Amino acid sequence: MQATPRPLSLALALTISPLAQAAGQPPVAQLEAIRISVSPLALSQQELLSPSTVLQGPSLDLRRAATLGQLLDGEPGIHSDTFGAGASRPVIRGQTAPRVKVLSDGSDVMDASAVSPDHAVTVDTWLAGRVEVLRGPAALLYGGGAIGGVVNVLDRKIPSAIPENGFEGSAQAQGSTADKGRAGAVELTAGQGNVAVHVEGASRRGRDYRVPDWTDGRVKDSNARSDTASVGLSFIGERGYIGAAYSYRDDVYGLPGHSHEYEDCHPHGATLHCGGHGHDHGHDHGHDHDHEHAHEHSATAHLRSERFDLRGELRDPLPGFQRARLRAGVTDYRHVEKDGDVDGTRFSNRGYDGRLELEHRPLGPFSGVIGLQTALSDFESRGGSEDFIPKTRSRSHGLFILENLRWQDWRFEFGARQEWQTITPDSPRLERREGTASSLSAGAVWDFAPQYAASLSISRSQRLPNAQELYARGVHFATLSYERGDADLGRETSHNVDLGLQKHAGDLRFDLRAFYTRSKGYIYGRTLDRHEDFSLIQYSQDDARFWGLEGKVSYPVRRWATVSVFGDVVRGKLLHPDRNLPRMPAARLGVRADLDWRNWSGFVDYTHTFAQGRLAEFEQRSPSYGMLGAGVSYRGRLDQTDYTLYLRGSNLLDKLAYNHTSFIARQAPLMGRNIMAGVKVEF
């Protein structure tokens, strides 16, 4: 492994000074351990072998954002593949969909976000009560689609307890300057006896957002509108609960960079031919091309999703078992992409996902969970010029087990999952694909001293190619590319090592992680040729390796002020031939001060994103940039009502910044200076 990179070394050096000055300060109050529900055994963050991130309460309220990627971006090891203001997906350790799975309280969201970065992830970030991120080997119990990590968004759609006073709820509103945005949400839970009902709704509006040093000052087609609503009912008893909910979502958002200028582009072997020009006819392959694409109409995506959720938990369900947990969802997702008022390609995904977990009673020193999961997805794209994936039916089934063993200062964990997948295309020319994938993991946590822990986990994870990687063939305007699948792609096998060192109590706290992954038959979109902004992408399979470091160190310099230093770096390369993988995140280093005094809390942070010069074929270098953010909130109480007022600013230095993980980084830079003000009331 290469030497420790400069960003992490600098982070450790910057930490020494404030720690030395703060010596002798009184200890801060200890917080209750946070338990991770996406972990089948509901372990605490300190007990987990793999790194986790949890956002809830005031920390989540101050980070509320329109998309899931924006909400999580900036946490160590987590980036976002931004696509204007309407869509963005989490990027975890350099991986995004289809290797990062997004769950709605343990159940797959079943949208179309894995197909393209311009498709929104259909979880509600405004009404989420908690967001959990699990990365590393522990995520393998959710299948090959979670090799990179799992993001679990918990909500209150289905009540699991009767409110103490018979009802409870909240309402919030927020406005923002850069996009002239406004958002609001309200929720209410009421219950009596054994029955509880929950209703909620949220609405968001935003215009084209402002960017410094940019043509017309705003990113064209970066507007967004979203409306969501849900109603749920639960029956709650002494041993558990069972409940169901219906949810509806309607979005309309712009597609920056969307252009039909390249509609006639098509491949000849490994070269592109556009407008009668091919590779040997002098078209521009330069990396510095800054081409403005003018089109008469705005390009928009119109999304509609209906979903039914079923959730339940039962204590002592069967002899030998102490808990059963059920999560299931049925989704009818569809969206159409329009050029002005003209309908283009229609995407739809109808399917279900179900997961049952049974936690057995301790068997000697062992405690654990066994479970099964099944899913069906009918995906279709039709009409328009982006009909690049045939109609397909994907079925998958999985069996998994996780066992935990405690011995003195050690905790050992062993996990396994077997998965079966079938993809059936609706085409006589394409063959049905069947396959199996096996994943294994093992690890240990050693509490080698009070407040300290070291962890090591290893895993072997397998992933089967999806329908897009196998069968794609056609123009994909959202990513400005012609995509070409390969029906002969095989299984992808990754061997992973994750090493961690933590200090989880006391004044000085830190969480440092190093990881290494070697993948055999890694599936990726290779750019074969480029004409101006348009690329020819071939789904290919080669051996690859990933490694990285991420960490955070914090210390209370005063009882009311805590200083943190954080950073991450990830590298991804093909082995044969030796090439960089595309859209790898740039290294980051940041410092943050959190303030907490009486009813006031606040923060100031600065994150420096380094230039990304390790480029794949035809990629363009992304310059470095720094982001300054700050926020302040006041929490008060009036009669039986709690309220919070907050003010937050992002990109306060108003920097022009390009996100290297984005397909349209040059067409849609990151948002300029933005001030957000909001209020939340809880009753």
Side-chain angles (χ1 to χ4, degrees):
M1 186 175 293
Q2 300 179 23
T4 303
R6 181 177 298 176
L8 190 63
S9 301
L10 181 56
L12 295 176
L14 289 174
T15 308
I16 295 174
S17 176
L19 298 189
Q21 295 175 8
Q25 292 294 329
V28 296
Q30 302 299 312
L31 299 178
E32 183 180 352
I34 298 175
R35 300 201 169 270
I36 310 299
S37 67
V38 75
S39 166
L41 291 173
L43 299 173
S44 69
Q45 285 187 287
Q46 289 74 36
E47 294 173 313
L48 282 172
L49 295 175
S50 296
S52 62
T53 298
V54 177
L55 294 176
Q56 62 182 4
S59 63
L60 176 58
D61 291 335
L62 269 177
R63 293 184 64 116
R64 299 282 181 187
T67 63
L68 184 62
Q70 293 171 343
L71 175 67
L72 293 171
D73 190 22
E75 291 293 318
I78 307 176
H79 297 74
S80 172
D81 65 345
T82 50
F83 203 99
S88 70
R89 305 174 301 185
V91 178
I92 301 176
R93 292 181 168 180
Q95 308 289 347
T96 188
R99 294 179 184 84
V100 171
K101 181 163 286 190
V102 178
L103 308 175
S104 174
D105 200 348
S107 180
D108 198 324
V109 295
M110 282 286 176
D111 52 25
S113 59
V115 174
S116 177
D118 69 315
H119 299 171
V121 181
T122 54
V123 293
D124 195 331
T125 55
W126 290 103
L127 287 165
R130 179 170 169 176
V131 181
E132 303 172 342
V133 182
L134 188 64
R135 49 197 184 272
L140 68 84
L141 293 185
Y142 288 88
I147 285 179
V150 171
V151 179
N152 190 32
V153 180
L154 290 100
D155 52 54
R156 292 174 284 271
K157 292 178 183 177
I158 300 176
S160 58
I162 303 294
E164 290 184 5
N165 298 321
F167 72 94
E168 62 185 16
S170 68
Q172 55 184 311
Q174 177 179 288
S176 53
T177 60
D179 60 349
K180 299 181 180 179
R182 59 193 187 278
V186 62
E187 61 173 347
L188 176 65
T189 303
Q192 186 175 9
N194 297 104
V195 179
V197 178
H198 179 88
V199 293
E200 65 180 33
S203 181
R204 174 178 61 88
R205 301 288 187 273
R207 301 181 185 179
D208 290 349
Y209 65 77
R210 193 184 64 80
V211 171
D213 305 320
W214 194 252
T215 304
D216 298 328
R218 295 184 180 272
V219 173
K220 181 176 174 56
D221 295 339
S222 62
N223 56 299
R225 173 186 68 77
S226 178
D227 297 295
T228 62
S230 179
V231 57
L233 174 70
S234 287
F235 294 91
I236 302 165
E238 295 181 356
R239 294 171 53 200
Y241 75 95
I242 183 82
Y246 166 77
S247 304
Y248 176 85
R249 175 167 181 154
D250 184 90
D251 285 21
V252 178
Y253 57 90
L255 301 173
H258 197 92
S259 172
H260 290 267
E261 180 178 341
Y262 305 112
E263 194 163 352
D264 65 340
C265 288
H266 58 280
H268 282 196
T271 61
L272 270 175
H273 284 243
C274 299
H277 297 285
H279 182 83
D280 298 325
H281 292 78
H283 68 271
D284 185 4
H285 288 268
H287 291 176
D288 297 322
H289 182 71
D290 188 16
H291 186 68
E292 291 289 340
H293 298 294
H295 54 280
E296 295 180 1
H297 305 105
S298 294
T300 54
H302 297 245
L303 178 157
R304 182 171 294 181
S305 176
E306 294 181 272
R307 179 181 173 95
F308 291 91
D309 281 286
L310 178 67
R311 300 171 190 168
E313 293 191 24
L314 181 64
R315 290 183 291 276
D316 302 321
L318 296 168
F321 294 92
Q322 61 186 18
R323 185 175 71 107
R325 186 170 183 261
L326 173 67
R327 294 292 185 268
V330 178
T331 303
D332 182 1
Y333 169 95
R334 52 202 180 275
H335 89 250
V336 59
E337 297 182 357
K338 294 187 176 184
D339 188 8
D341 295 327
V342 179
D343 287 359
T345 307
R346 295 177 178 271
F347 295 87
S348 66
N349 190 11
R350 296 176 173 88
Y352 63 79
D353 175 78
R355 183 180 180 93
L356 176 64
E357 299 173 357
L358 291 170
E359 182 178 349
H360 66 72
R361 297 190 182 279
L363 299 174
F366 288 93
S367 60
V369 171
I370 61 173
L372 59 89
Q373 185 173 6
T374 183
L376 168 70
S377 170
D378 284 327
F379 179 83
E380 183 178 7
S381 65
R382 67 183 186 276
S385 53
E386 281 192 276
D387 185 9
F388 67 102
I389 305 176
K391 182 179 180 180
T392 56
R393 166 166 285 197
S394 301
R395 292 182 181 271
S396 65
H397 309 285
L399 293 174
F400 57 89
I401 184 171
L402 178 69
E403 290 296 323
N404 183 62
L405 167 65
R406 294 182 183 274
W407 177 71
Q408 296 182 0
D409 296 329
W410 292 81
R411 188 178 70 80
F412 300 93
E413 188 176 277
F414 309 93
R417 179 180 170 109
Q418 180 68 28
E419 193 165 355
W420 296 264
Q421 176 180 286
T422 302
I423 301 179
T424 306
D426 186 16
S427 171
R429 299 181 295 102
L430 302 174
E431 294 184 0
R432 174 181 176 181
R433 287 292 303 269
E434 296 181 350
T436 61
S438 304
S439 298
L440 301 168
S441 70
V445 175
W446 178 29
D447 296 317
F448 61 90
Q451 304 178 352
Y452 290 86
S455 63
L456 172 66
S457 57
I458 58 176
S459 67
R460 173 186 177 272
S461 306
Q462 291 188 324
R463 186 181 79 89
L464 298 166
N466 62 25
Q468 183 175 3
E469 294 164 334
L470 292 169
Y471 307 124
R473 184 167 294 272
V475 175
H476 189 185
F477 290 118
T479 57
L480 295 176
S481 64
Y482 187 103
E483 292 189 16
R484 197 162 60 183
D486 183 351
D488 294 325
L489 293 176
R491 216 171 9 225
E492 174 185 308
T493 302
S494 299
H495 296 86
N496 317 283
V497 178
D498 194 292
L499 181 65
L501 179 63
Q502 289 179 297
K503 186 174 184 296
H504 49 72
D507 289 344
L508 173 65
R509 300 190 184 199
F510 56 79
D511 188 352
L512 307 176
R513 302 279 176 171
F515 63 91
Y516 180 84
T517 297
R518 189 180 180 108
S519 295
K520 182 178 181 181
Y522 182 80
I523 302 170
Y524 69 104
R526 181 187 174 189
T527 302
L528 300 180
D529 195 15
R530 186 177 178 92
H531 172 77
E532 296 179 350
D533 293 327
F534 195 81
S535 300
L536 171 60
I537 293 178
Q538 171 72 55
Y539 285 104
S540 306
Q541 197 161 29
D542 291 296
D543 293 345
R545 67 182 178 97
F546 299 85
W547 66 267
L549 301 166
E550 58 198 32
K552 181 177 181 179
V553 183
S554 62
Y555 194 91
V557 294
R558 294 288 187 272
R559 289 190 63 86
W560 47 269
T562 299
V563 175
S564 304
V565 177
F566 56 89
D568 56 42
V569 60
V570 60
R571 299 283 183 260
K573 299 194 71 173
L574 297 172
L575 296 179
H576 307 290
D578 183 12
R579 288 197 302 260
N580 294 306
L581 281 161
R583 291 175 298 283
M584 294 302 298
R588 296 180 300 193
L589 178 65
V591 61
R592 178 182 173 108
D594 287 285
L595 314 174
D596 192 357
W597 181 73
R598 295 184 179 177
N599 292 359
W600 293 89
S601 61
F603 75 92
V604 178
D605 63 14
Y606 179 82
T607 303
H608 180 79
T609 300
F610 292 81
Q612 180 57 285
R614 294 175 171 83
L615 307 176
E617 298 167 289
F618 302 103
E619 269 195 327
Q620 188 171 355
R621 181 181 184 273
S622 296
S624 63
Y625 58 88
M627 290 287 187
L628 175 65
V632 61
S633 66
Y634 177 83
R635 187 174 181 87
R637 185 173 181 84
L638 184 62
D639 293 331
Q640 300 299 314
T641 301
D642 295 321
Y643 64 90
T644 303
L645 306 173
Y646 62 89
L647 184 68
R648 176 164 61 99
S650 59
N651 194 5
L652 293 175
L653 300 179
D654 206 24
K655 296 289 187 179
L656 176 63
Y658 300 110
N659 179 16
H660 193 78
T661 60
S662 173
F663 271 92
I664 57 168
R666 298 288 160 167
Q667 289 79 25
L670 297 178
M671 186 179 291
R673 183 187 295 116
N674 189 29
I675 307 298
M676 291 152 283
V679 57
K680 181 176 182 180
V681 178
E682 299 172 277
F683 50 87

